[in-house]
Amino acid sequence: MEGKMIRLRGYEFSDLDFVMKWINDEDVTQFLGSGMVAFPISSIAERKFIEQAGLSESPSNKIFVIETLADHRPIGTISFNGIDWVNRHSPVGIMIGDKGCWNRGYGTDAMRVLMRLAFDKLNLHRLWLHVYDYNQRAIRSYEKCGFRREGVLREQRYWSGGYHDIVVMGIVESEYRALSAS
Ligand SMILES: CC(C)(COP(=O)(O)OP(=O)(O)OC[C@H]1O[C@@H](n2cnc3c(N)ncnc32)[C@H](O)[C@@H]1OP(=O)(O)O)[C@@H](O)C(=O)NCCC(=O)NCCS
């Protein structure tokens, strides 16, 4: 699954050292779900996670490594975090863990590849996500992909001594088709 700058692939054990850096870097984890922020994550736990993710046995949770097309370097991960096969929607998540790669279009490219997979191959109808209000880079990137702001969970996120809003964003299939056509 290739975009303009990246491809998505399954996890390998060789990704462990890269992922360990990303998930223990507070510059990155401040933007992720609260489970990722509370404690340092050991290589033992992460290896187990990679093994399970790599086996890809869950029908609803699928996670991929984002790798650069130019030099096959892993720079992050992207995921379906609970596909609902009846109502045909899924929450999605993304982490460009390599900070040197922020603001260079990789995240937007990866999300577009995931959208193609969701709408063109898996016949999903809707994708959605939660993003913290202080993560303006992510919000901008999702807007570029066609996601719309759908609502706000007020003061749902405690971070750095204060409460912050969570923005709910989503895109439905018709919006994706209209964007693809234009
Ligand atoms: C969020 C993330 C996926 C975006 O990917 P990316 O490759 O960095 O983003 P892109 O370069 O594709 O797009 C970023 C856009 O935001 C803009 N941007 C950057 N900082 C911004 C800010 N503070 N305010 C508004 N826009 C900003 C960039 O200029 C760019 O827009 P442009 O192309 O119109 O100039 C990536 O930065 C990331 O994974 N960050 C850490 C973890 C994270 O936040 N995950 C998402 C959790 S919801």
Side-chain angles (χ1 to χ4, degrees):
M1 289 180 289
E2 290 190 0
K4 291 187 177 137
M5 308 161 68
I6 58 89
R7 65 189 273 257
L8 306 186
R9 61 160 174 80
Y11 260 112
E12 303 294 344
F13 280 131
S14 54
D15 296 317
L16 181 64
D17 289 347
F18 292 96
V19 182
M20 281 299 292
K21 280 193 202 114
W22 305 337
I23 60 172
N24 286 298
D25 180 345
E26 279 187 302
D27 289 345
V28 177
T29 59
Q30 63 176 311
F31 299 121
L32 305 180
S34 28
M36 300 288 290
V37 186
F39 307 106
I41 297 174
S42 74
S43 62
I44 301 166
E46 189 53 27
R47 197 179 159 86
K48 190 172 172 191
F49 176 82
I50 287 179
E51 182 166 7
Q52 282 167 353
L55 287 170
S56 193
E57 289 173 335
S58 164
S60 54
N61 288 51
K62 300 286 176 193
I63 181 162
F64 310 102
V65 170
I66 303 167
E67 176 179 278
T68 57
L69 280 183
D71 54 5
H72 305 291
R73 193 164 44 92
I75 59 168
T77 63
I78 192 164
S79 50
F80 295 116
N81 295 334
I83 301 173
D84 178 335
W85 290 107
V86 175
N87 299 298
R88 311 211 72 82
H89 67 78
S90 180
V92 296
I94 181 169
M95 168 185 68
I96 302 293
D98 182 335
K99 292 181 283 188
C101 289
W102 288 356
N103 290 328
R104 291 166 57 184
Y106 290 111
T108 303
D109 195 28
M111 187 58 78
R112 286 181 176 142
V113 174
L114 195 78
M115 288 161 61
R116 220 167 64 215
L117 173 62
F119 293 120
D120 292 346
K121 292 191 178 165
L122 301 180
N123 191 29
L124 295 184
H125 182 67
R126 165 181 161 76
L127 299 178
W128 58 276
L129 54 84
H130 286 176
V131 55
Y132 304 136
D133 61 359
Y134 55 85
N135 196 353
Q136 290 299 318
R137 174 176 37 242
I139 290 172
R140 172 76 189 124
S141 167
Y142 302 145
E143 283 174 342
K144 282 197 294 179
C145 292
F147 282 69
R148 295 187 187 181
R149 293 170 195 243
E150 298 181 329
V152 172
L153 306 174
R154 292 174 307 140
E155 302 189 12
Q156 176 97 344
R157 163 72 170 170
Y158 181 77
W159 172 72
S160 194
Y163 287 95
H164 300 267
D165 293 345
I166 289 181
V167 180
V168 182
M169 299 184 75
I171 180 167
V172 295
E173 187 187 349
S174 56
E175 292 163 348
Y176 168 76
R177 302 264 168 247
L179 277 174
S180 305
S182 62

